[in-house]
Amino acid sequence: MDLKGKCVLTGVKPTGTLHIGNYVGAIRPAIQMGNECMAAGGNFLLFIADYHALNYLKDTPNLKEITRQLACSYLACGLDPEKAVFFRQSDIPEVFEMTTILTNFTPKGFMNKAHAYKAAVDKNIAKGEPNDAGINMGLYNYPILMAADILTYGSDYVPVGKDQVQHVEITADIAGALNAVYGKEVLKIPAAITQEYGAVLPGIDGRKMSKSYGNVIPLFDEEAKIKKAVMSIKTDSQDINTPKNPEEILLYQIARGFCAPELVAEIEEGLKKGGMGYGTIKKMMAEAIAKELAPIHEKYVHYMAHYEDVEDMLKAGAERARKLAKPVLEKVRETVLGE
Ligand code: ADP
Ligand code: TRP
């Protein structure tokens, strides 16, 4: 993909403790793509979508704390705040003005079809409650705020997980609707970028790794806890000497998603030939994963202990983001309100 001079943007919701599935599926690919984009002379924006969290989290100290943790996590994982534009959504007033404008170009039917809203309605129906019970407009309008996040900076590409692709498509549709009304390209039409292979890391019980299933290998924890989680990865009862298809073995699937290629190759060979026990593989993986995570954890602890510095980084990032936002919003204002 030619990223020369392009704007790549992604947002992350503060949702609590991170696991290696988040790292493999969201954090690492976003940072990688951002680095490629910046090397090609483009802009990379990464922000914490704290107002997106408000529809489900109305606990101020907790929201503040998980925002803080998330900021430190991305820095610990290698985001360079000097190069990338790293900021908090709530520090950018332009996004909220853009949201107001976009609302008027968004057919209500788009929101009725958005996954998060539909899932909430389905849950209510299953419980025998009224369709919209407990659903606030923040959840309903979630995709419009997300569209504003994307369109306000003139983003070209949006790296996201598969669950977010629909939101980026809605964004493109909203931008297209506004452009169509005024007969010109006022807003740039963005595209979602998803990574295909290995995008979903299974958890230690074989289901998708997710904090809501309690089946995670934590990203930032004490070495002993990380090792304990790896040692509890579910295995089957096949004989140690039976040659196995690695693709069917959970340990291998997790290793392939996270571990270095040499270790993955060694496990693959051991399973194919037979003779390499699950206990041995687990020990190798536990060592490797703990070793890989130790320096990241150390950096995380450092940033958490020096959060004033992180706060300064976020503030500086917000200033840079607003500089990018201003001309885009100006153009939209002039288009809809007149000069
Ligand atoms: P969780 O399922 O633990 O609640 P989130 O929904 O908060 O995780 O996910 C945050 C980001 O991490 C999303 O972009 C999502 O696609 C990614 N992610 C979450 N779990 C995994 C996984 N098991 N494998 C790959 N990516 C994941
Ligand atoms: N909705 C995204 C999620 O739930 C987070 C997000 C908010 C986002 N605004 C965005 C992602 C803009 C990409 C672009 O994970």
Side-chain angles (χ1 to χ4, degrees):
M1 183 187 310
D2 185 11
L3 292 171
K4 197 165 163 229
K6 298 288 184 192
C7 176
V8 171
L9 165 139
T10 196
V12 280
K13 251 178 354 189
T15 54
T17 319
L18 296 171
H19 49 75
I20 65 168
N22 300 132
Y23 179 71
V24 170
I27 303 176
R28 191 171 61 185
I31 292 178
Q32 264 169 10
M33 184 163 176
N35 287 342
E36 277 169 40
C37 176
M38 292 183 295
N43 278 322
F44 175 51
L45 287 77
L46 192 143
F47 67 95
I48 300 178
D50 47 355
Y51 267 134
H52 267 117
L54 192 58
N55 79 70
Y56 54 83
L57 187 62
K58 293 171 179 72
D59 171 345
T60 311
N62 192 12
L63 180 54
K64 201 168 170 196
E65 179 58 21
I66 60 178
T67 299
R68 183 173 115 103
Q69 288 173 3
L70 192 61
C72 295
S73 303
Y74 269 82
L75 293 168
C77 290
L79 182 78
D80 180 349
E82 297 288 318
K83 292 192 191 141
V85 185
F86 180 46
F87 60 101
R88 250 182 319 239
Q89 180 187 42
S90 57
D91 285 333
I92 317 293
E94 286 76 11
V95 164
F96 306 100
E97 183 170 349
M98 183 70 96
T99 304
T100 300
I101 299 170
L102 296 179
T103 306
N104 301 288
F105 297 87
T106 308
K108 181 167 172 284
F110 280 11
M111 299 301 99
N112 294 339
K113 282 189 281 184
H115 292 322
Y117 171 65
K118 266 176 63 183
V121 170
D122 289 347
K123 245 193 202 162
N124 281 336
I125 294 171
K127 283 194 286 183
E129 304 211 5
N131 283 11
D132 284 333
I135 297 179
N136 62 54
M137 288 301 290
L139 174 64
Y140 190 66
N141 280 341
Y142 188 103
I144 309 182
L145 178 54
M146 183 155 158
D149 287 331
I150 296 170
L151 299 173
T152 299
Y153 311 98
S155 314
D156 295 283
Y157 297 117
V158 187
V160 281
K162 289 208 173 81
D163 58 321
Q164 296 299 314
V165 171
Q166 187 202 29
H167 289 148
V168 182
E169 288 167 356
I170 291 175
T171 301
D173 287 344
I174 297 174
L178 185 145
N179 290 347
V181 170
Y182 299 98
K184 56 181 178 182
E185 201 203 64
V186 186
L187 292 166
K188 203 187 271 176
I189 310 285
I193 305 286
T194 51
Q195 44 153 19
E196 286 306 319
Y197 178 73
V200 172
L201 194 76
I204 60 173
D205 61 357
R207 293 184 289 172
K208 169 189 178 287
M209 188 177 289
S210 171
K211 63 180 169 307
S212 40
Y213 296 148
N215 63 355
V216 308
I217 299 173
L219 187 54
F220 303 112
D221 214 330
E222 293 151 22
E223 190 178 320
K225 290 206 180 128
I226 291 168
K227 286 187 170 168
K228 190 166 169 234
V230 177
M231 296 308 289
S232 7
I233 295 173
K234 205 168 120 190
T235 49
D236 58 37
S237 55
Q238 291 187 73
D239 186 86
I240 179 168
N241 293 316
T242 309
K244 301 169 187 72
N245 176 0
E247 300 292 330
E248 291 167 5
I249 307 295
L250 180 58
L251 278 170
Y252 176 76
Q253 293 164 0
I254 296 177
R256 192 181 53 189
F258 185 80
C259 297
E262 305 79 52
L263 180 63
V264 178
E266 198 181 337
I267 297 172
E268 184 176 352
E269 205 191 307
L271 288 168
K272 276 187 180 156
K273 272 203 206 146
M276 186 187 268
Y278 293 145
T280 308
I281 298 177
K282 282 184 181 178
K283 276 198 201 113
M284 283 158 55
M285 281 173 64
E287 284 299 327
I289 293 176
K291 196 169 158 210
E292 177 108 351
L293 294 181
I296 304 181
H297 185 212
E298 202 176 302
K299 280 193 204 150
Y300 177 74
V301 171
H302 169 85
Y303 284 120
M304 287 293 279
H306 298 88
Y307 192 69
E308 343 55 84
D309 297 344
V310 178
E311 189 63 44
D312 288 345
M313 292 174 200
L314 290 169
K315 286 265 152 62
E319 270 179 41
R320 289 165 62 203
R322 292 190 69 187
K323 281 203 182 109
L324 295 170
K326 281 206 170 99
V328 179
L329 184 64
E330 203 56 33
K331 188 172 169 193
V332 178
R333 283 179 64 116
E334 280 175 15
T335 303
V336 302
L337 299 175
E339 296 185 24

